[in-house]
Amino acid sequence: MQLGREAARRSGKEDRHREPMEPAAMRVLIPAAELARRVAELAGRIDADYRLAGGGGGGRHGGRPRPQEDPLIAVGVLKGSVFFLADLLRRLRVPVAVDFLQTASYGAGGEHRGEVRIRKDLDLAIRGRDVLLIEDIVDTGFTVRTILDLLRHRGARSVRLCALLDKTAARQVEVPIDYRGFAIENVFVVGYGLDHGERYRNLPYIAVWQAEGEPLATPAAPPPPTPERSMSGMQFHHTDQAPAAIGPYSQAVSVDGWLYTSGQVGLDPATGELVAGGFEAQARRALENLRQVLASAGCGFSDVVKATVYVVDLADFPRLNALYGEAMGEHRPARSTVQAAALPRGALVEIDLVARLRPGAGS
Ligand code: IMP
């Protein structure tokens, strides 16, 4: 793609005769284990949606298991999506065929103005087929917007988008992402398929690329939004990185130096749905949601003083303990555990926390 001068410098495509700038430091944004966990979750959802031919947008086979002769067609966008695609597809059980296309982007004045051309076209015919477009990152949105339009124009039965990364702040055209891995800040990232001047694709993690001489970018967590403060001195916290409060409550409230979180279950904030994968997947997601809520108030798990855990089946407790211990590290806050007859949305586990605010982090 042809990019604006700043974007080109950041992408390493500024001057093809020079080596791309060495980064002064790489800040790991998404570790390999986190990528693997999320890829497994996405695969579980995709599998569930497409396993029945009547599911994922099809209908021809009326809800029977998808036959081998009518596989889902996974379309990877070269080259950035190949690592993600390979890991994702290895986890799918639904019959799947694979194809690739590659684009080039052009625009007046060196800016990305949305003129996207197909450089390498599909080999497979997609008319009447269910197509899943797999992309590494959605930035302005021009690339996937163009490809999605093309796939629909060619008569695909259904077209959905699975994108590992979503730079929401950079978006210029609206793109519905059906399966989204992670929302990230508007920073230039490399690794796990993403490159800077064709380098760093084989890093097993996603890192923020940093030019020499530039200050290190802000930490992975987005800056906490300014919380709303009530007359009583309470602050109400919200982050888009955790499921939105869907009733008359807040994700967390702080007052007098303490933070009280609402209970979190294993809902994916991107979809509002419970994550697939049973108890362990839900517990991981609930803990990740809590980590994000804590971060929105400038705290971490090491600031937690008390946790309450609700499980539908106490037999799951050993598994919960392992994941909870992983999240807390050496820290050992007080905890109560309750077996609940039922939890919201049919969840298997819910956790709420009380944490001490760090000095200067709010009320
Ligand atoms: P869009 O058309 O602006 O959404 O651009 C999407 C394409 O730009 C991706 O497929 C990548 O090739 C590239 N891109 C955008 N952001 C990054 C980044 O942070 N690192 C590496 N490549 C990126």
Side-chain angles (χ1 to χ4, degrees), residues 279 309-314 317 320 337-340 343 348-349:
F279 181 86
V309 179
Y310 306 86
V311 285
V312 169
D313 185 353
L314 273 174
F317 203 58
L320 183 271
T337 305
V338 183
Q339 177 164 321
L343 291 170
L348 300 173
V349 55

Side-chain angles (χ1 to χ4, degrees), residues 71-124:
L72 167 68
I73 299 184
V75 171
V77 185
L78 293 171
K79 305 175 194 169
S81 73
V82 290
F83 290 70
F84 174 43
L85 177 140
D87 285 348
L88 185 77
L89 296 199
R90 270 179 293 187
R91 289 190 162 271
L92 289 187
R93 279 168 298 159
V94 67
V96 62
V98 188
D99 206 348
F100 292 96
L101 52 72
Q102 189 167 23
T103 61
S105 307
Y106 298 90
E111 294 301 320
H112 188 338
R113 295 226 190 278
E115 291 165 43
V116 179
R117 269 197 348 210
I118 302 298
R119 182 185 284 167
K120 183 230 168 281
D121 206 340
L122 296 175
D123 295 329
L124 300 176

Side-chain angles (χ1 to χ4, degrees), residues 1 3 10-11 13 77-81 103 105 112 114 116 135-145 165 167 170-172 175 184 187-191 193-196 201 209:
M1 84 154 64
L3 304 144
R10 295 201 306 166
S11 73
K13 292 168 186 164
V77 185
L78 293 171
K79 305 175 194 169
S81 73
T103 61
S105 307
H112 188 338
V116 179
E135 176 63 307
D136 51 359
I137 187 165
V138 183
D139 189 5
T140 61
F142 286 128
T143 304
V144 280
R145 175 77 279 155
L165 303 176
K167 277 195 212 173
R171 194 74 85 258
Q172 294 186 37
V175 177
I184 63 165
V187 288
F188 196 84
V189 287
V190 294
L194 290 144
D195 75 311
H196 176 271
R201 288 195 199 275
W209 182 83

